[in-house]
Amino acid sequence: MNNGGVNTTTGNETKADAPGGRAKADDFARAVSRVAVAQICEGVGFESVRDSGLDSLSDIAIRYLHDIGKAASFYANISGRTHCNVFDIIRALEDLGNFQGFSGASGVSHCLASSGTVMEILDYAQSAEEVPFNQSIARFPVARDRRLIPSFTQMGETPPGKHVPAWLPALPDPHTYKQTPVWNERKSDLRADKIEQARQRRNAERSLLNLQQRLAQFGSAGASTSNIAQHHQPKELKADEGNPYLTTPLPPGEKEVASVNLPVMLSNGPTKENSLSVLETFAPAIEAVKDRFCEDGDGDDNKVLPDKRPAIHFKFKTGKKVFGQSSDLNLHNKYLSRPVSLIGREEERDDKKRRAEYILRQAMENPQELTQM
Amino acid sequence: MNNHHGQSQQSSESKHDDDAALTDFLASLMEYTPTVPDELVEHYLGKSGFQCPDVRLTRLVAVATQKFVADIASDALQHCKARQASVVKDKRDKQQKDKRLILTMDDLSKALREYGVNVKHQEYFADSPSAGLDTASRDE
């Protein structure tokens, strides 16, 4: 038997397949089947094979194996078994041999043990030369030994229920699968939230007002140079509020570092007059807001209100008021209706304030436009 | 073999013989090593859902596969020989090197047609980048 031709071809091809792209899961099995088919071809009498022919034939061999397995397991399943026996395989072989035909295929109730296909195979096995596979191959696919999850008994734990046997794998730690309820810690008190919001807003406004006041002071004081203003300001802040964030880290005059000041920005602007004009322009708005702060800052002492703003109340009431009421009663009514009117006025004031702030901010950002106003 | 089925009066007796023959054959498979390796057969049988720990059945499938492939190959060999024989004698001198028996797709597809496999192959098919450059030396 000419051994060389076939084997070298297959050897070349298995090597040539390797670099072409990524190795697939089936590559090894296909390479093995190529070698086996090449050996069979050699046994039949071929001296050499072409790659395409070898590929097709090994594909067909694999397909044949697969089909036998499928048909045999089908016959096993149809008779209520999971494991196949020899008769399932014989039936499968008969199915696949139907195309070629075999002796006894026409018989309906022939004995499987004496099936023509088996006899043909038997004849072949006895007649054909026994050519074992030329290489020893390991079992594949290689299955790595897995580590089993330890059972309850191995872990030394008791199962959570009597219905769980102790030989079953232990449960993982509870924190990995148990869900613990998460409560919303926040108190959903709408009123408190609103009050808190209002308070924060007032704080913000107050700080803005402070800033504006300071600006106004600087403006009216007529700081001749920006440098003086710079040195002057931190001191004043300290005196005014004692705000630790606004104090100078260095003694004044040592270093000119306090550059987070708005006056600087304003003085860096085109002209000093601009900044002054800004303040003058918005003086009424600022005054209005300031006024409001004074009363709001007093806390919840709302009794000040009727004294402060009687005119508005009268405006509200004039339409519906019954004439001849005593001023006391009038005042009393005012108290009663205060919450409603307060809310309305607050919104109104908020709106006004917001507008004033908006305009002010714009003015700060681009003082150029203010001159045109 | 036909007489087993044709004569039903002897069926019980012949079945007994067949059973014995089958059992003997399966037992003989324990020592028989088919060309198709067991591992390959088990791999593909397992992939198709076949479950059986018996190595004899695996061998039986292996032998069946081997027979199938060998039948196809021998048919293709006959085609190959017939093709070579049909070449006119004066041309045969030129194609001396082609006289070797080579399994080609031509012969294979002709053989496979009888087994229910329709293989359509291209007029020219490059097996590899080097195909067609030096065909003779590659197929050595």
Coordinates of all heavy atoms in Angstrom, one line a residue, chain A residues 161-227:
Chain A
G161 N -35.2 24.1 55.0 CA -36.5 23.5 55.2 C -36.3 22.0 55.3 O -35.3 21.4 54.8
K162 N -37.4 21.3 55.8 CA -37.3 19.9 55.8 C -37.4 19.2 54.5 O -37.0 18.1 54.2 CB -38.4 19.3 56.7 CG -38.1 19.4 58.2 CD -39.2 18.8 59.0 CE -38.8 18.9 60.5 NZ -40.0 18.6 61.3
H163 N -38.0 20.0 53.5 CA -38.2 19.4 52.2 C -36.9 19.4 51.4 O -36.8 18.9 50.3 CB -39.2 20.2 51.5 CG -38.9 21.7 51.3 ND1 -39.0 22.6 52.4 CD2 -38.4 22.4 50.3 CE1 -38.6 23.7 51.9 NE2 -38.3 23.6 50.7
V164 N -35.8 20.1 51.9 CA -34.6 20.1 51.2 C -33.6 19.1 51.8 O -33.3 19.2 52.9 CB -33.9 21.5 51.3 CG1 -32.7 21.6 50.5 CG2 -34.9 22.6 50.9
P165 N -33.3 18.1 51.0 CA -32.4 17.1 51.5 C -31.0 17.7 51.7 O -30.6 18.6 51.1 CB -32.3 16.0 50.4 CG -33.3 16.4 49.4 CD -33.7 17.8 49.6
A166 N -30.3 17.0 52.6 CA -29.0 17.6 53.0 C -27.9 17.3 52.0 O -26.8 18.0 52.1 CB -28.5 17.0 54.4
W167 N -28.1 16.4 51.1 CA -27.1 16.2 50.1 C -27.1 17.2 48.9 O -26.2 17.1 48.0 CB -27.2 14.7 49.5 CG -28.6 14.3 49.2 CD1 -29.4 13.6 49.9 CD2 -29.2 14.6 47.9 NE1 -30.6 13.4 49.3 CE2 -30.5 14.0 48.0 CE3 -28.9 15.2 46.8 CZ2 -31.4 14.1 47.0 CZ3 -29.8 15.3 45.7 CH2 -31.1 14.7 45.9
L168 N -28.1 18.0 48.9 CA -28.1 19.0 47.8 C -27.1 20.1 48.0 O -26.7 20.3 49.2 CB -29.5 19.6 47.8 CG -30.6 18.8 47.1 CD1 -31.9 19.6 47.1 CD2 -30.2 18.5 45.7
P169 N -26.6 20.7 47.0 CA -25.7 21.8 47.1 C -26.2 22.9 48.0 O -27.4 23.3 48.0 CB -25.4 22.3 45.7 CG -26.5 21.7 44.9 CD -26.9 20.5 45.6
A170 N -25.3 23.4 48.9 CA -25.7 24.4 49.8 C -26.1 25.7 49.2 O -25.7 26.0 48.1 CB -24.6 24.7 50.8
L171 N -27.0 26.4 49.8 CA -27.4 27.7 49.3 C -26.3 28.7 49.5 O -25.5 28.6 50.4 CB -28.6 28.2 50.1 CG -29.9 27.4 49.8 CD1 -31.0 27.9 50.8 CD2 -30.4 27.5 48.4
P172 N -26.2 29.7 48.6 CA -25.2 30.7 48.8 C -25.6 31.6 50.0 O -26.6 31.4 50.6 CB -25.3 31.5 47.5 CG -26.6 31.2 46.9 CD -27.0 29.8 47.4
D173 N -24.7 32.4 50.3 CA -24.9 33.3 51.5 C -26.2 34.1 51.3 O -26.5 34.6 50.2 CB -23.7 34.2 51.7 CG -22.5 33.5 52.0 OD1 -22.6 32.4 52.7 OD2 -21.4 33.9 51.7
P174 N -26.9 34.3 52.4 CA -28.2 34.9 52.2 C -28.2 36.3 51.6 O -29.1 36.7 50.9 CB -28.8 35.0 53.7 CG -28.0 34.0 54.4 CD -26.6 33.9 53.7
H175 N -27.1 37.0 51.9 CA -27.1 38.4 51.4 C -27.0 38.5 49.9 O -27.2 39.5 49.3 CB -26.0 39.2 52.0 CG -24.6 38.8 51.6 ND1 -23.9 37.8 52.3 CD2 -23.9 39.2 50.5 CE1 -22.7 37.7 51.6 NE2 -22.7 38.4 50.6
T176 N -26.6 37.3 49.3 CA -26.5 37.3 47.8 C -27.8 37.2 47.1 O -27.9 37.4 45.9 CB -25.5 36.2 47.4 OG1 -26.0 35.0 47.9 CG2 -24.1 36.5 47.9
Y177 N -28.8 36.6 47.8 CA -30.1 36.4 47.1 C -31.3 37.0 47.8 O -32.3 37.1 47.2 CB -30.3 34.9 46.8 CG -30.4 34.1 48.1 CD1 -31.6 33.9 48.7 CD2 -29.2 33.5 48.6 CE1 -31.7 33.1 49.9 CE2 -29.3 32.7 49.7 CZ -30.5 32.5 50.4 OH -30.6 31.8 51.5
K178 N -31.1 37.4 49.1 CA -32.3 37.9 49.8 C -32.4 39.4 49.5 O -31.4 40.1 49.4 CB -32.1 37.7 51.3 CG -32.8 36.5 51.8 CD -32.8 36.5 53.3 CE -33.5 35.2 53.8 NZ -33.2 34.9 55.1
Q179 N -33.7 39.8 49.4 CA -33.9 41.2 49.2 C -34.4 41.8 50.5 O -35.3 41.4 51.1 CB -35.0 41.4 48.1 CG -35.0 42.8 47.6 CD -36.2 43.0 46.7 OE1 -37.1 42.2 46.6 NE2 -36.2 44.1 46.0
T180 N -33.7 42.8 50.9 CA -34.1 43.5 52.1 C -34.8 44.8 51.7 O -34.4 45.5 50.8 CB -32.9 43.9 52.9 OG1 -31.9 44.5 52.1 CG2 -32.2 42.7 53.5
P181 N -35.9 45.1 52.4 CA -36.7 46.3 52.0 C -35.9 47.6 52.3 O -35.2 47.7 53.4 CB -37.9 46.2 52.9 CG -37.5 45.3 54.0 CD -36.5 44.4 53.5
V182 N -36.0 48.5 51.5 CA -35.3 49.8 51.6 C -36.4 50.8 51.8 O -37.2 51.0 50.8 CB -34.4 50.1 50.5 CG1 -33.8 51.4 50.7 CG2 -33.4 49.0 50.3
W183 N -36.5 51.4 53.0 CA -37.6 52.4 53.2 C -37.1 53.8 52.8 O -35.9 54.1 52.9 CB -38.0 52.4 54.7 CG -38.4 51.1 55.2 CD1 -37.8 50.3 56.0 CD2 -39.6 50.4 54.8 NE1 -38.5 49.2 56.2 CE2 -39.6 49.2 55.5 CE3 -40.7 50.7 53.9 CZ2 -40.6 48.2 55.3 CZ3 -41.6 49.7 53.8 CH2 -41.6 48.5 54.5
N184 N -38.0 54.5 52.3 CA -37.7 55.9 52.0 C -37.6 56.7 53.3 O -38.6 56.9 53.9 CB -38.7 56.5 51.1 CG -38.2 57.8 50.5 OD1 -37.1 58.2 50.7 ND2 -39.1 58.4 49.6
E185 N -36.3 57.1 53.6 CA -36.1 57.7 54.9 C -36.7 59.1 55.0 O -36.9 59.7 56.0 CB -34.6 57.7 55.3 CG -34.0 56.3 55.4 CD -34.5 55.7 56.7 OE1 -34.9 56.4 57.6 OE2 -34.3 54.4 56.8
R186 N -36.8 59.7 53.8 CA -37.2 61.1 53.8 C -38.6 61.3 54.3 O -39.6 60.5 53.9 CB -37.1 61.6 52.4 CG -36.0 62.7 52.3 CD -36.0 63.3 50.9 NE -37.2 64.1 50.7 CZ -37.8 64.3 49.5 NH1 -37.2 63.7 48.4 NH2 -38.9 65.0 49.3
K187 N -38.8 62.2 55.1 CA -40.2 62.5 55.6 C -40.9 63.3 54.4 O -40.3 64.3 54.0 CB -40.2 63.4 56.8 CG -40.1 62.5 58.1 CD -39.8 63.4 59.3 CE -38.3 63.6 59.4 NZ -37.9 64.6 60.3
S188 N -42.0 62.8 54.0 CA -42.6 63.5 52.9 C -43.6 64.5 53.4 O -44.8 64.4 53.1 CB -43.3 62.5 52.0 OG -44.2 61.8 52.7
D189 N -43.1 65.4 54.2 CA -44.0 66.5 54.7 C -43.9 67.6 53.7 O -42.9 68.4 53.7 CB -43.6 66.9 56.1 CG -44.6 67.8 56.7 OD1 -45.6 68.1 56.1 OD2 -44.3 68.3 57.9
L190 N -45.0 67.8 53.0 CA -45.0 68.8 51.9 C -44.8 70.2 52.5 O -44.1 71.0 51.9 CB -46.2 68.7 51.1 CG -46.2 67.6 50.0 CD1 -47.6 67.6 49.3 CD2 -45.1 67.8 49.0
R191 N -45.5 70.4 53.6 CA -45.5 71.8 54.1 C -44.1 72.1 54.6 O -43.6 73.2 54.3 CB -46.5 71.8 55.3 CG -46.9 73.3 55.6 CD -48.1 73.3 56.5 NE -48.2 74.6 57.1 CZ -47.5 74.9 58.3 NH1 -46.8 74.1 58.9 NH2 -47.6 76.2 58.8
A192 N -43.5 71.2 55.3 CA -42.1 71.4 55.8 C -41.2 71.7 54.6 O -40.3 72.5 54.7 CB -41.7 70.2 56.7
D193 N -41.4 70.9 53.6 CA -40.5 71.0 52.4 C -40.7 72.4 51.9 O -39.7 73.1 51.5 CB -40.9 70.0 51.4 CG -40.4 68.7 51.7 OD1 -39.6 68.6 52.7 OD2 -40.6 67.7 50.9
K194 N -41.9 72.9 51.8 CA -42.2 74.2 51.2 C -41.5 75.3 52.1 O -40.9 76.2 51.5 CB -43.7 74.4 51.1 CG -44.2 74.3 49.7 CD -45.3 75.2 49.5 CE -45.4 75.7 48.1 NZ -46.2 74.9 47.2
I195 N -41.7 75.1 53.4 CA -41.1 76.1 54.3 C -39.6 76.1 54.1 O -39.0 77.2 54.0 CB -41.5 75.8 55.7 CG1 -43.0 76.1 55.9 CG2 -40.7 76.6 56.7 CD1 -43.5 75.6 57.2
E196 N -39.0 75.0 54.0 CA -37.6 74.9 53.9 C -37.1 75.5 52.6 O -36.2 76.2 52.6 CB -37.2 73.4 53.9 CG -35.7 73.1 53.7 CD -34.9 73.7 54.8 OE1 -35.4 74.0 55.9 OE2 -33.6 73.9 54.6
Q197 N -37.9 75.2 51.5 CA -37.5 75.8 50.2 C -37.6 77.3 50.3 O -36.7 78.0 49.9 CB -38.5 75.4 49.2 CG -38.0 74.2 48.4 CD -39.1 73.8 47.4 OE1 -40.1 74.4 47.2 NE2 -38.7 72.7 46.6
A198 N -38.7 77.8 50.9 CA -38.8 79.3 51.0 C -37.7 79.9 51.8 O -37.1 80.9 51.5 CB -40.2 79.6 51.7
R199 N -37.3 79.1 52.9 CA -36.2 79.6 53.7 C -34.9 79.7 53.0 O -34.2 80.7 53.0 CB -36.0 78.7 54.9 CG -35.3 79.4 56.1 CD -35.2 78.4 57.3 NE -34.5 77.2 56.8 CZ -33.1 77.2 56.7 NH1 -32.4 78.2 56.9 NH2 -32.5 76.1 56.3
Q200 N -34.7 78.7 52.2 CA -33.4 78.7 51.4 C -33.5 79.8 50.4 O -32.5 80.5 50.2 CB -33.3 77.4 50.7 CG -32.8 76.3 51.6 CD -32.7 74.9 50.9 OE1 -33.1 74.8 49.7 NE2 -32.3 73.9 51.6
R201 N -34.6 80.0 49.8 CA -34.7 81.1 48.8 C -34.5 82.4 49.4 O -33.7 83.3 48.9 CB -36.1 81.0 48.2 CG -36.1 81.6 46.8 CD -37.5 81.3 46.1 NE -38.6 81.7 47.0 CZ -39.7 80.9 47.1 NH1 -39.8 79.8 46.4 NH2 -40.7 81.2 47.8
R202 N -35.1 82.6 50.6 CA -34.9 83.8 51.3 C -33.4 84.1 51.7 O -32.9 85.2 51.5 CB -35.7 83.8 52.6 CG -36.9 84.8 52.5 CD -37.7 84.7 53.8 NE -38.7 83.7 53.8 CZ -38.9 82.8 54.7 NH1 -38.1 82.8 55.8 NH2 -39.8 81.9 54.6
N203 N -32.8 83.0 52.1 CA -31.3 83.1 52.4 C -30.6 83.6 51.2 O -29.7 84.5 51.2 CB -30.8 81.8 52.8 CG -31.1 81.5 54.3 OD1 -31.4 82.5 55.0 ND2 -30.9 80.3 54.7
A204 N -30.9 82.9 50.0 CA -30.2 83.3 48.8 C -30.4 84.7 48.5 O -29.5 85.5 48.1 CB -30.6 82.4 47.7
E205 N -31.7 85.1 48.6 CA -32.0 86.5 48.3 C -31.3 87.5 49.2 O -30.8 88.5 48.8 CB -33.5 86.7 48.4 CG -34.2 86.2 47.2 CD -35.7 86.0 47.5 OE1 -36.1 86.4 48.6 OE2 -36.4 85.5 46.7
R206 N -31.2 87.1 50.5 CA -30.6 88.0 51.5 C -29.1 88.2 51.1 O -28.6 89.3 51.2 CB -30.7 87.4 52.9 CG -30.6 88.4 53.9 CD -30.9 87.9 55.3 NE -32.2 87.3 55.3 CZ -32.6 86.2 56.0 NH1 -31.7 85.6 56.6 NH2 -33.8 85.8 56.0
S207 N -28.5 87.1 50.8 CA -27.1 87.2 50.4 C -26.9 88.1 49.2 O -26.0 88.9 49.1 CB -26.4 85.8 50.2 OG -27.1 85.2 49.2
L208 N -27.8 87.9 48.3 CA -27.7 88.8 47.1 C -27.9 90.2 47.5 O -27.2 91.1 47.0 CB -28.8 88.3 46.1 CG -28.8 89.1 44.8 CD1 -27.5 88.7 44.0 CD2 -30.0 88.7 44.0
L209 N -28.9 90.4 48.4 CA -29.2 91.8 48.8 C -28.0 92.4 49.5 O -27.6 93.5 49.3 CB -30.4 91.8 49.7 CG -31.6 92.3 49.0 CD1 -32.8 92.3 50.0 CD2 -31.4 93.7 48.5
N210 N -27.4 91.6 50.3 CA -26.2 92.0 51.0 C -25.1 92.5 50.0 O -24.5 93.5 50.2 CB -25.6 90.9 51.9 CG -26.3 90.8 53.2 OD1 -26.9 91.8 53.7 ND2 -26.3 89.7 53.8
L211 N -25.0 91.7 49.0 CA -24.0 92.0 48.0 C -24.4 93.3 47.3 O -23.5 94.2 47.2 CB -24.0 90.9 47.0 CG -23.0 91.0 45.8 CD1 -21.6 90.9 46.4 CD2 -23.3 90.0 44.8
Q212 N -25.7 93.5 47.1 CA -26.1 94.7 46.4 C -25.9 95.9 47.3 O -25.4 96.9 46.8 CB -27.6 94.6 46.0 CG -27.7 93.6 44.8 CD -29.2 93.2 44.7 OE1 -30.0 93.5 45.5 NE2 -29.5 92.5 43.6
Q213 N -26.2 95.7 48.6 CA -26.0 96.8 49.5 C -24.5 97.2 49.5 O -24.2 98.4 49.5 CB -26.4 96.4 50.9 CG -27.9 96.5 51.1 CD -28.3 96.0 52.4 OE1 -27.7 95.1 53.0 NE2 -29.4 96.5 53.0
R214 N -23.7 96.2 49.5 CA -22.3 96.5 49.6 C -21.8 97.2 48.3 O -21.1 98.2 48.4 CB -21.5 95.2 49.8 CG -20.3 95.3 50.7 CD -19.8 93.9 51.0 NE -20.8 93.2 51.8 CZ -21.1 91.9 51.5 NH1 -20.6 91.4 50.4 NH2 -22.0 91.3 52.2
L215 N -22.4 96.7 47.3 CA -22.1 97.4 46.0 C -22.5 98.9 46.1 O -21.7 99.8 45.7 CB -22.8 96.7 44.8 CG -22.2 95.4 44.4 CD1 -23.0 94.8 43.3 CD2 -20.8 95.5 44.0
A216 N -23.7 99.0 46.6 CA -24.2 100.4 46.6 C -23.3 101.3 47.5 O -23.0 102.4 47.2 CB -25.6 100.4 47.2
Q217 N -22.9 100.7 48.6 CA -22.0 101.4 49.5 C -20.7 101.8 48.8 O -20.3 103.0 48.9 CB -21.6 100.6 50.7 CG -22.7 100.6 51.8 CD -22.4 99.6 52.9 OE1 -21.3 99.1 52.9 NE2 -23.4 99.5 53.8
F218 N -20.2 100.8 48.1 CA -18.9 101.2 47.4 C -19.1 102.2 46.4 O -18.3 103.1 46.2 CB -18.3 99.9 46.8 CG -17.7 99.1 47.8 CD1 -18.0 97.7 47.9 CD2 -16.8 99.6 48.7 CE1 -17.3 96.9 48.8 CE2 -16.2 98.8 49.6 CZ -16.5 97.5 49.7
G219 N -20.3 102.1 45.7 CA -20.6 103.0 44.7 C -20.7 104.4 45.2 O -20.1 105.4 44.7
S220 N -21.4 104.5 46.3 CA -21.7 105.9 46.9 C -20.5 106.5 47.5 O -20.2 107.7 47.5 CB -22.9 105.8 47.9 OG -22.5 104.9 48.9
A221 N -19.7 105.6 48.2 CA -18.5 106.0 48.8 C -17.5 106.6 47.8 O -16.7 107.5 48.1 CB -17.8 104.9 49.5
G222 N -17.7 106.1 46.5 CA -16.9 106.7 45.4 C -15.4 106.4 45.6 O -14.5 107.2 45.7
A223 N -15.2 105.1 45.7 CA -13.8 104.6 45.8 C -13.0 105.1 44.6 O -13.3 104.9 43.5 CB -13.8 103.1 45.9
S224 N -12.0 105.9 45.0 CA -11.2 106.5 43.9 C -10.5 105.5 43.0 O -10.5 105.6 41.8 CB -10.2 107.5 44.5 OG -9.4 106.8 45.4
T225 N -9.9 104.5 43.6 CA -9.3 103.5 42.8 C -9.8 102.1 43.2 O -10.3 101.9 44.3 CB -7.7 103.5 43.1 OG1 -7.6 103.3 44.5 CG2 -7.1 104.8 42.7
S226 N -9.6 101.2 42.3 CA -10.1 99.8 42.5 C -9.3 99.1 43.6 O -9.7 98.3 44.3 CB -10.0 99.0 41.2 OG -8.7 99.0 40.8
N227 N -8.0 99.5 43.7 CA -7.2 98.9 44.7 C -7.7 99.1 46.1 O -7.7 98.2 46.9 CB -5.7 99.5 44.6 CG -4.9 98.6 43.6 OD1 -5.3 97.5 43.4 ND2 -3.8 99.2 43.2

